[in-house]
Amino acid sequence: MKTLILLRHGEASFEADSDFERPLNDLGIAKVNVSALVIKNLNITPDKIISSPAERTAESLSIFCDFLSITDDKIKFIKGLYNRGSDFYLNEIETMDDSVETLLLVGHNPSISDLVNNFPIQDYVSMQPGDLFVVRFDTISWENIMNSSAQVLFQNSNK
């Protein structure tokens, strides 16, 4: 079984020199804290984390790591998660080492919503800032997730 945690960064301020540098606002911080609490209550700990390096995703990830006592050695920042599409996201997941059982990906829309909507699940999902989506795939290999049955463990995104 492979468990994938998807977190869309929290709501961000528009007061920055560039889109890449936009920090979280107070609402974004609060919602990401709630999402971290959900993961803690589900008793799920990521073995590996991949994240966009943009300020708002890095801040969202920092909240998660502090809340869940996750160390930096589990984190990899990937530039393409900032400005590439859902195919890039899926490739990063499918090429993950199979020793990783639980993966956290922190990213952006529309890519993260598009990714979820390509999974073998029934409902349309629109991930809003700070939303969390947790899915477990019935496979032993990340490269097979699109061809395996999936169970949604948690979803606070809009259908």
Side-chain angles (χ1 to χ4, degrees):
M1 302 287 249
K2 299 296 181 190
T3 302
L4 179 62
I5 306 164
L6 296 173
L7 174 67
R8 183 175 172 201
H9 63 76
E11 187 174 306
S13 167
F14 286 97
E15 296 176 19
D17 291 337
S18 70
D19 182 68
F20 190 84
E21 297 171 342
R22 291 174 52 212
L24 295 179
N25 63 25
D26 291 342
L27 180 60
I29 291 168
K31 191 163 181 187
V32 171
N33 271 297
V34 169
S35 291
L37 179 62
V38 167
I39 293 300
K40 186 172 186 169
N41 288 339
L42 289 172
N43 200 28
I44 299 174
T45 303
D47 302 313
K48 183 76 176 175
I49 300 166
I50 56 176
S51 176
S52 160
E55 180 65 25
R56 58 194 179 273
T57 49
E59 277 188 64
S60 297
L61 177 56
S62 178
I63 291 167
F64 249 67
C65 290
D66 289 347
F67 202 92
L68 301 171
S69 301
I70 297 172
T71 56
D72 289 348
D73 61 318
K74 293 185 177 187
I75 301 168
K76 180 178 180 183
F77 289 100
I78 301 172
K79 176 75 172 166
L81 294 176
Y82 170 66
N83 58 1
R84 304 277 299 273
S86 61
D87 288 344
F88 183 86
Y89 279 46
L90 182 59
N91 183 67
E92 289 298 321
I93 295 165
E94 289 181 328
T95 57
M96 185 60 51
D97 188 282
D98 286 330
S99 65
V100 174
E101 295 296 325
T102 302
L103 174 66
L104 167 61
L105 184 152
V106 186
H108 304 268
N109 249 1
S111 301
I112 202 161
S113 289
D114 291 345
L115 174 67
V116 170
N117 288 304
N118 284 319
F119 290 151
I121 56 174
Q122 300 299 316
D123 297 329
Y124 173 79
V125 174
S126 176
M127 300 217 18
Q128 302 303 305
D131 276 356
L132 185 65
F133 188 86
V134 184
V135 61
R136 181 165 291 146
F137 298 96
D138 188 16
T139 183
I140 59 170
S141 178
W142 288 105
E143 70 181 350
N144 295 328
I145 63 170
M146 296 306 284
N147 298 317
S148 65
S149 61
Q151 176 188 7
V152 176
L153 301 180
F154 182 83
Q155 173 181 341
N156 69 344
S157 51
N158 298 320
K159 292 183 182 182

